[in-house]
Every structure is written in structure tokens, then in C-alpha cells.
mmCIF file of all heavy atoms in Angstrom:
data_model
loop_
_atom_site.group_PDB
_atom_site.id
_atom_site.type_symbol
_atom_site.label_atom_id
_atom_site.label_comp_id
_atom_site.label_asym_id
_atom_site.label_seq_id
_atom_site.Cartn_x
_atom_site.Cartn_y
_atom_site.Cartn_z
ATOM 1 N N LEU A 77 -12.439 35.009 33.684
ATOM 2 C CA LEU A 77 -11.199 34.204 33.482
ATOM 3 C C LEU A 77 -10.254 34.424 34.630
ATOM 4 O O LEU A 77 -9.877 35.567 34.984
ATOM 5 C CB LEU A 77 -10.580 34.661 32.172
ATOM 6 C CG LEU A 77 -9.480 33.788 31.563
ATOM 7 C CD1 LEU A 77 -9.936 32.405 31.319
ATOM 8 C CD2 LEU A 77 -8.976 34.471 30.292
ATOM 9 N N GLU A 78 -9.807 33.320 35.290
ATOM 10 C CA GLU A 78 -8.869 33.421 36.415
ATOM 11 C C GLU A 78 -8.118 32.113 36.581
ATOM 12 O O GLU A 78 -8.649 31.052 36.204
ATOM 13 C CB GLU A 78 -9.573 33.837 37.676
ATOM 14 C CG GLU A 78 -10.581 32.812 38.208
ATOM 15 C CD GLU A 78 -11.236 33.268 39.484
ATOM 16 O OE1 GLU A 78 -11.020 34.416 39.912
ATOM 17 O OE2 GLU A 78 -11.929 32.458 40.087
ATOM 18 N N PRO A 79 -6.940 32.174 37.118
ATOM 19 C CA PRO A 79 -6.146 30.959 37.344
ATOM 20 C C PRO A 79 -6.910 29.976 38.242
ATOM 21 O O PRO A 79 -7.578 30.375 39.189
ATOM 22 C CB PRO A 79 -4.869 31.491 38.003
ATOM 23 C CG PRO A 79 -4.756 32.904 37.582
ATOM 24 C CD PRO A 79 -6.144 33.410 37.476
ATOM 25 N N GLY A 80 -6.788 28.701 37.934
ATOM 26 C CA GLY A 80 -7.408 27.680 38.708
ATOM 27 C C GLY A 80 -8.693 27.115 38.124
ATOM 28 O O GLY A 80 -9.086 25.988 38.452
ATOM 29 N N MET A 81 -9.363 27.888 37.281
ATOM 30 C CA MET A 81 -10.567 27.390 36.642
ATOM 31 C C MET A 81 -10.208 26.551 35.428
ATOM 32 O O MET A 81 -9.106 26.713 34.873
ATOM 33 C CB MET A 81 -11.536 28.527 36.284
ATOM 34 C CG MET A 81 -11.100 29.354 35.088
ATOM 35 S SD MET A 81 -12.130 30.810 34.764
ATOM 36 C CE MET A 81 -13.781 30.161 34.867
ATOM 37 N N THR A 82 -11.104 25.686 35.030
ATOM 38 C CA THR A 82 -10.856 24.907 33.821
ATOM 39 C C THR A 82 -11.563 25.592 32.638
ATOM 40 O O THR A 82 -12.488 26.379 32.833
ATOM 41 C CB THR A 82 -11.397 23.471 33.932
ATOM 42 O OG1 THR A 82 -12.813 23.479 34.064
ATOM 43 C CG2 THR A 82 -10.777 22.797 35.201
ATOM 44 N N THR A 83 -11.122 25.253 31.434
ATOM 45 C CA THR A 83 -11.770 25.814 30.266
ATOM 46 C C THR A 83 -13.194 25.270 30.144
ATOM 47 O O THR A 83 -14.048 25.942 29.580
ATOM 48 C CB THR A 83 -10.951 25.521 29.021
ATOM 49 O OG1 THR A 83 -10.758 24.099 28.864
ATOM 50 C CG2 THR A 83 -9.626 26.221 29.052
ATOM 51 N N ALA A 84 -13.487 24.084 30.667
ATOM 52 C CA ALA A 84 -14.833 23.563 30.662
ATOM 53 C C ALA A 84 -15.730 24.423 31.567
ATOM 54 O O ALA A 84 -16.885 24.696 31.196
ATOM 55 C CB ALA A 84 -14.854 22.135 31.181
ATOM 56 N N GLU A 85 -15.248 24.839 32.704
ATOM 57 C CA GLU A 85 -16.029 25.733 33.606
ATOM 58 C C GLU A 85 -16.312 27.060 32.914
ATOM 59 O O GLU A 85 -17.408 27.591 33.029
ATOM 60 C CB GLU A 85 -15.278 25.947 34.903
ATOM 61 C CG GLU A 85 -15.204 24.684 35.772
ATOM 62 C CD GLU A 85 -14.291 24.848 36.965
ATOM 63 O OE1 GLU A 85 -13.317 25.664 36.913
ATOM 64 O OE2 GLU A 85 -14.486 24.102 37.976
ATOM 65 N N LEU A 86 -15.283 27.594 32.185
ATOM 66 C CA LEU A 86 -15.512 28.853 31.472
ATOM 67 C C LEU A 86 -16.539 28.675 30.391
ATOM 68 O O LEU A 86 -17.385 29.538 30.157
ATOM 69 C CB LEU A 86 -14.177 29.348 30.908
ATOM 70 C CG LEU A 86 -14.166 30.699 30.261
ATOM 71 C CD1 LEU A 86 -14.529 31.789 31.260
ATOM 72 C CD2 LEU A 86 -12.795 30.944 29.626
ATOM 73 N N ASP A 87 -16.482 27.544 29.709
ATOM 74 C CA ASP A 87 -17.445 27.233 28.613
ATOM 75 C C ASP A 87 -18.853 27.094 29.194
ATOM 76 O O ASP A 87 -19.856 27.512 28.585
ATOM 77 C CB ASP A 87 -17.049 25.989 27.903
ATOM 78 C CG ASP A 87 -17.947 25.642 26.719
ATOM 79 O OD1 ASP A 87 -18.036 26.459 25.770
ATOM 80 O OD2 ASP A 87 -18.606 24.613 26.763
ATOM 81 N N GLN A 88 -18.992 26.482 30.363
ATOM 82 C CA GLN A 88 -20.312 26.348 30.987
ATOM 83 C C GLN A 88 -20.918 27.698 31.281
ATOM 84 O O GLN A 88 -22.138 27.900 31.146
ATOM 85 C CB GLN A 88 -20.166 25.550 32.287
ATOM 86 C CG GLN A 88 -19.882 24.031 32.036
ATOM 87 C CD GLN A 88 -19.430 23.303 33.263
ATOM 88 O OE1 GLN A 88 -19.397 23.873 34.368
ATOM 89 N NE2 GLN A 88 -18.984 22.060 33.107
ATOM 90 N N LEU A 89 -20.108 28.644 31.690
ATOM 91 C CA LEU A 89 -20.597 30.021 31.908
ATOM 92 C C LEU A 89 -21.128 30.592 30.587
ATOM 93 O O LEU A 89 -22.200 31.155 30.517
ATOM 94 C CB LEU A 89 -19.486 30.901 32.455
ATOM 95 C CG LEU A 89 -19.775 32.410 32.467
ATOM 96 C CD1 LEU A 89 -20.934 32.720 33.413
ATOM 97 C CD2 LEU A 89 -18.546 33.192 32.902
ATOM 98 N N GLY A 90 -20.357 30.401 29.497
ATOM 99 C CA GLY A 90 -20.761 30.910 28.239
ATOM 100 C C GLY A 90 -22.066 30.281 27.782
ATOM 101 O O GLY A 90 -22.977 30.950 27.255
ATOM 102 N N ARG A 91 -22.177 28.981 27.964
ATOM 103 C CA ARG A 91 -23.415 28.282 27.536
ATOM 104 C C ARG A 91 -24.594 28.816 28.323
ATOM 105 O O ARG A 91 -25.677 29.071 27.744
ATOM 106 C CB ARG A 91 -23.265 26.788 27.793
ATOM 107 C CG ARG A 91 -24.521 25.981 27.389
ATOM 108 C CD ARG A 91 -24.370 24.517 27.737
ATOM 109 N NE ARG A 91 -23.287 23.903 26.993
ATOM 110 C CZ ARG A 91 -23.326 23.472 25.753
ATOM 111 N NH1 ARG A 91 -24.450 23.661 25.042
ATOM 112 N NH2 ARG A 91 -22.313 22.904 25.171
ATOM 113 N N ALA A 92 -24.450 28.993 29.614
ATOM 114 C CA ALA A 92 -25.553 29.483 30.446
ATOM 115 C C ALA A 92 -25.987 30.865 30.027
ATOM 116 O O ALA A 92 -27.207 31.145 29.974
ATOM 117 C CB ALA A 92 -25.140 29.482 31.933
ATOM 118 N N LEU A 93 -25.033 31.733 29.658
ATOM 119 C CA LEU A 93 -25.395 33.085 29.251
ATOM 120 C C LEU A 93 -26.093 33.081 27.899
ATOM 121 O O LEU A 93 -27.076 33.835 27.686
ATOM 122 C CB LEU A 93 -24.121 33.927 29.182
ATOM 123 C CG LEU A 93 -23.447 34.228 30.529
ATOM 124 C CD1 LEU A 93 -22.105 34.892 30.311
ATOM 125 C CD2 LEU A 93 -24.314 35.109 31.391
ATOM 126 N N LEU A 94 -25.671 32.245 26.982
ATOM 127 C CA LEU A 94 -26.313 32.141 25.671
ATOM 128 C C LEU A 94 -27.726 31.571 25.841
ATOM 129 O O LEU A 94 -28.683 32.147 25.290
ATOM 130 C CB LEU A 94 -25.509 31.240 24.743
ATOM 131 C CG LEU A 94 -24.143 31.755 24.295
ATOM 132 C CD1 LEU A 94 -23.411 30.699 23.467
ATOM 133 C CD2 LEU A 94 -24.262 33.031 23.474
ATOM 134 N N GLU A 95 -27.878 30.544 26.603
ATOM 135 C CA GLU A 95 -29.220 29.912 26.766
ATOM 136 C C GLU A 95 -30.174 30.817 27.476
ATOM 137 O O GLU A 95 -31.361 30.815 27.150
ATOM 138 C CB GLU A 95 -29.045 28.598 27.497
ATOM 139 C CG GLU A 95 -28.334 27.499 26.659
ATOM 140 C CD GLU A 95 -28.174 26.207 27.413
ATOM 141 O OE1 GLU A 95 -28.430 26.134 28.605
ATOM 142 O OE2 GLU A 95 -27.789 25.186 26.724
ATOM 143 N N ARG A 96 -29.683 31.619 28.358
ATOM 144 C CA ARG A 96 -30.554 32.580 29.079
ATOM 145 C C ARG A 96 -31.186 33.548 28.109
ATOM 146 O O ARG A 96 -32.302 34.028 28.332
ATOM 147 C CB ARG A 96 -29.691 33.349 30.138
ATOM 148 C CG ARG A 96 -30.557 34.238 30.978
ATOM 149 C CD ARG A 96 -29.675 35.022 31.963
ATOM 150 N NE ARG A 96 -28.836 36.039 31.282
ATOM 151 C CZ ARG A 96 -27.918 36.744 31.900
ATOM 152 N NH1 ARG A 96 -27.669 36.521 33.189
ATOM 153 N NH2 ARG A 96 -27.217 37.630 31.200
ATOM 154 N N GLU A 97 -30.515 33.873 26.985
ATOM 155 C CA GLU A 97 -31.016 34.797 26.008
ATOM 156 C C GLU A 97 -31.712 34.081 24.830
ATOM 157 O O GLU A 97 -32.012 34.724 23.830
ATOM 158 C CB GLU A 97 -29.875 35.672 25.473
ATOM 159 C CG GLU A 97 -29.164 36.492 26.538
ATOM 160 C CD GLU A 97 -30.072 37.482 27.216
ATOM 161 O OE1 GLU A 97 -31.067 37.974 26.559
ATOM 162 O OE2 GLU A 97 -29.867 37.816 28.411
ATOM 163 N N GLY A 98 -31.878 32.799 24.949
ATOM 164 C CA GLY A 98 -32.518 32.044 23.887
ATOM 165 C C GLY A 98 -31.647 31.809 22.669
ATOM 166 O O GLY A 98 -32.143 31.549 21.545
ATOM 167 N N ALA A 99 -30.313 31.862 22.873
ATOM 168 C CA ALA A 99 -29.348 31.646 21.773
ATOM 169 C C ALA A 99 -28.835 30.234 21.793
ATOM 170 O O ALA A 99 -28.724 29.626 22.866
ATOM 171 C CB ALA A 99 -28.195 32.652 21.888
ATOM 172 N N ARG A 100 -28.506 29.756 20.607
ATOM 173 C CA ARG A 100 -27.877 28.418 20.447
ATOM 174 C C ARG A 100 -26.443 28.580 19.985
ATOM 175 O O ARG A 100 -26.177 29.406 19.079
ATOM 176 C CB ARG A 100 -28.677 27.568 19.476
ATOM 177 C CG ARG A 100 -30.081 27.267 19.934
ATOM 178 C CD ARG A 100 -30.751 26.237 19.018
ATOM 179 N NE ARG A 100 -30.992 26.767 17.679
ATOM 180 C CZ ARG A 100 -31.507 26.041 16.663
ATOM 181 N NH1 ARG A 100 -31.742 24.727 16.829
ATOM 182 N NH2 ARG A 100 -31.693 26.638 15.492
ATOM 183 N N SER A 101 -25.531 27.789 20.528
ATOM 184 C CA SER A 101 -24.160 27.851 20.102
ATOM 185 C C SER A 101 -24.027 27.526 18.637
ATOM 186 O O SER A 101 -24.485 26.453 18.176
ATOM 187 C CB SER A 101 -23.336 26.795 20.941
ATOM 188 O OG SER A 101 -22.105 26.469 20.281
ATOM 189 N N ALA A 102 -23.402 28.403 17.887
ATOM 190 C CA ALA A 102 -23.290 28.223 16.424
ATOM 191 C C ALA A 102 -22.382 27.074 16.035
ATOM 192 O O ALA A 102 -22.685 26.298 15.162
ATOM 193 C CB ALA A 102 -22.883 29.532 15.794
ATOM 194 N N PRO A 103 -21.175 26.984 16.639
ATOM 195 C CA PRO A 103 -20.299 25.858 16.262
ATOM 196 C C PRO A 103 -20.904 24.455 16.596
ATOM 197 O O PRO A 103 -20.728 23.517 15.879
ATOM 198 C CB PRO A 103 -19.016 26.103 17.010
ATOM 199 C CG PRO A 103 -19.336 27.058 18.103
ATOM 200 C CD PRO A 103 -20.484 27.853 17.598
ATOM 201 N N GLU A 104 -21.617 24.402 17.692
ATOM 202 C CA GLU A 104 -22.298 23.183 18.093
ATOM 203 C C GLU A 104 -23.435 22.891 17.104
ATOM 204 O O GLU A 104 -23.555 21.756 16.626
ATOM 205 C CB GLU A 104 -22.864 23.375 19.512
ATOM 206 C CG GLU A 104 -23.000 22.098 20.309
ATOM 207 C CD GLU A 104 -23.332 22.455 21.766
ATOM 208 O OE1 GLU A 104 -24.291 23.214 22.000
ATOM 209 O OE2 GLU A 104 -22.655 21.870 22.636
ATOM 210 N N LEU A 105 -24.227 23.902 16.779
ATOM 211 C CA LEU A 105 -25.365 23.736 15.871
ATOM 212 C C LEU A 105 -24.929 23.437 14.463
ATOM 213 O O LEU A 105 -25.523 22.567 13.785
ATOM 214 C CB LEU A 105 -26.187 25.038 15.924
ATOM 215 C CG LEU A 105 -27.391 25.153 14.964
ATOM 216 C CD1 LEU A 105 -28.433 24.143 15.381
ATOM 217 C CD2 LEU A 105 -27.935 26.574 15.000
ATOM 218 N N SER A 106 -23.907 24.121 13.979
ATOM 219 C CA SER A 106 -23.526 24.028 12.593
ATOM 220 C C SER A 106 -22.573 22.879 12.271
ATOM 221 O O SER A 106 -22.632 22.264 11.195
ATOM 222 C CB SER A 106 -22.874 25.353 12.134
ATOM 223 O OG SER A 106 -23.725 26.436 12.332
ATOM 224 N N TYR A 107 -21.663 22.563 13.227
ATOM 225 C CA TYR A 107 -20.592 21.626 12.918
ATOM 226 C C TYR A 107 -20.446 20.498 13.980
ATOM 227 O O TYR A 107 -19.530 19.697 13.846
ATOM 228 C CB TYR A 107 -19.265 22.360 12.816
ATOM 229 C CG TYR A 107 -19.265 23.426 11.741
ATOM 230 C CD1 TYR A 107 -19.199 24.776 12.086
ATOM 231 C CD2 TYR A 107 -19.362 23.084 10.382
ATOM 232 C CE1 TYR A 107 -19.198 25.766 11.088
ATOM 233 C CE2 TYR A 107 -19.386 24.050 9.413
ATOM 234 C CZ TYR A 107 -19.339 25.391 9.753
ATOM 235 O OH TYR A 107 -19.330 26.357 8.784
ATOM 236 N N GLY A 108 -21.337 20.465 14.953
ATOM 237 C CA GLY A 108 -21.196 19.421 15.973
ATOM 238 C C GLY A 108 -19.977 19.632 16.860
ATOM 239 O O GLY A 108 -19.427 18.672 17.393
ATOM 240 N N PHE A 109 -19.507 20.867 17.019
ATOM 241 C CA PHE A 109 -18.354 21.158 17.867
ATOM 242 C C PHE A 109 -18.627 20.742 19.292
ATOM 243 O O PHE A 109 -19.717 20.987 19.817
ATOM 244 C CB PHE A 109 -18.048 22.663 17.760
ATOM 245 C CG PHE A 109 -16.843 23.039 18.614
ATOM 246 C CD1 PHE A 109 -15.530 22.804 18.195
ATOM 247 C CD2 PHE A 109 -17.010 23.707 19.822
ATOM 248 C CE1 PHE A 109 -14.463 23.151 18.939
ATOM 249 C CE2 PHE A 109 -15.903 24.097 20.565
ATOM 250 C CZ PHE A 109 -14.609 23.778 20.139
ATOM 251 N N PRO A 110 -17.653 20.109 19.949
ATOM 252 C CA PRO A 110 -17.893 19.629 21.307
ATOM 253 C C PRO A 110 -17.681 20.701 22.389
ATOM 254 O O PRO A 110 -16.849 20.605 23.298
ATOM 255 C CB PRO A 110 -16.814 18.524 21.460
ATOM 256 C CG PRO A 110 -15.708 18.951 20.543
ATOM 257 C CD PRO A 110 -16.397 19.645 19.407
ATOM 258 N N GLY A 111 -18.536 21.690 22.342
ATOM 259 C CA GLY A 111 -18.491 22.791 23.345
ATOM 260 C C GLY A 111 -19.397 23.895 22.836
ATOM 261 O O GLY A 111 -19.760 23.999 21.646
ATOM 262 N N ALA A 112 -19.781 24.786 23.756
ATOM 263 C CA ALA A 112 -20.637 25.889 23.375
ATOM 264 C C ALA A 112 -19.790 27.039 22.786
ATOM 265 O O ALA A 112 -20.293 27.777 21.925
ATOM 266 C CB ALA A 112 -21.392 26.437 24.602
ATOM 267 N N THR A 113 -18.584 27.155 23.223
ATOM 268 C CA THR A 113 -17.642 28.186 22.712
ATOM 269 C C THR A 113 -16.335 27.552 22.415
ATOM 270 O O THR A 113 -15.997 26.433 22.912
ATOM 271 C CB THR A 113 -17.466 29.330 23.753
ATOM 272 O OG1 THR A 113 -16.796 28.743 24.928
ATOM 273 C CG2 THR A 113 -18.790 29.916 24.171
ATOM 274 N N CYS A 114 -15.478 28.222 21.613
ATOM 275 C CA CYS A 114 -14.122 27.771 21.332
ATOM 276 C C CYS A 114 -13.187 28.470 22.324
ATOM 277 O O CYS A 114 -13.171 29.721 22.380
ATOM 278 C CB CYS A 114 -13.733 28.073 19.960
ATOM 279 S SG CYS A 114 -14.773 27.274 18.662
ATOM 280 N N ILE A 115 -12.397 27.728 23.066
ATOM 281 C CA ILE A 115 -11.454 28.298 24.056
ATOM 282 C C ILE A 115 -10.111 27.697 23.793
ATOM 283 O O ILE A 115 -9.883 26.488 23.971
ATOM 284 C CB ILE A 115 -11.906 28.024 25.496
ATOM 285 C CG1 ILE A 115 -13.332 28.563 25.701
ATOM 286 C CG2 ILE A 115 -10.949 28.678 26.457
ATOM 287 C CD1 ILE A 115 -13.895 28.223 27.082
ATOM 288 N N SER A 116 -9.147 28.493 23.357
ATOM 289 C CA SER A 116 -7.830 28.036 22.989
ATOM 290 C C SER A 116 -6.759 28.606 23.905
ATOM 291 O O SER A 116 -6.645 29.844 24.022
ATOM 292 C CB SER A 116 -7.510 28.425 21.535
ATOM 293 O OG SER A 116 -8.576 28.019 20.673
ATOM 294 N N VAL A 117 -6.053 27.733 24.602
ATOM 295 C CA VAL A 117 -5.009 28.169 25.528
ATOM 296 C C VAL A 117 -3.664 28.089 24.813
ATOM 297 O O VAL A 117 -3.275 27.013 24.300
ATOM 298 C CB VAL A 117 -4.986 27.289 26.793
ATOM 299 C CG1 VAL A 117 -3.890 27.747 27.750
ATOM 300 C CG2 VAL A 117 -6.364 27.311 27.479
ATOM 301 N N GLY A 118 -2.939 29.227 24.741
ATOM 302 C CA GLY A 118 -1.746 29.306 24.016
ATOM 303 C C GLY A 118 -0.737 28.183 24.375
ATOM 304 O O GLY A 118 -0.699 27.807 25.522
ATOM 305 N N PRO A 119 -0.055 27.660 23.329
ATOM 306 C CA PRO A 119 0.138 28.234 21.987
ATOM 307 C C PRO A 119 -1.001 27.942 21.012
ATOM 308 O O PRO A 119 -0.964 28.398 19.901
ATOM 309 C CB PRO A 119 1.402 27.562 21.486
ATOM 310 C CG PRO A 119 1.434 26.228 22.181
ATOM 311 C CD PRO A 119 0.851 26.495 23.553
#
């Protein structure tokens, strides 16, 4: 995480790490969430 990156870029990293281990995103699999991970920028 660093200034200048987008939350989509951070999510892409998460997706790649999960897929490398044979894991599937649970919110995507269970609820059709539009992302591999949930990333919330305050507030």
C-alpha cells in the first residue's frame, strides 16, 4: 500500500496472490462481489 496506486491495482495484487495458491475469492464466489478483495478507503 502506497500513495499513488489505485485500489484496483491493490486488488489485482491480492487476486494474483490468491490464485497462485489455488484459492478463490470468497466474496466473489459467494455473493458476486465486484472484486477479489474488499478495499474501503476512509470514511
Side-chain angles (χ1 to χ4, degrees):
L77 192 58
E78 63 180 7
M81 73 187 313
T82 66
T83 56
E85 290 171 335
L86 186 62
D87 184 62
Q88 289 165 6
L89 170 63
R91 181 183 298 280
L93 293 171
L94 292 175
E95 291 179 349
R96 186 181 70 186
E97 300 297 332
R100 296 188 292 175
S101 161
E104 207 170 51
L105 176 66
S106 302
Y107 301 112
F109 181 75
T113 65
C114 300
I115 304 174
S116 307
V117 180

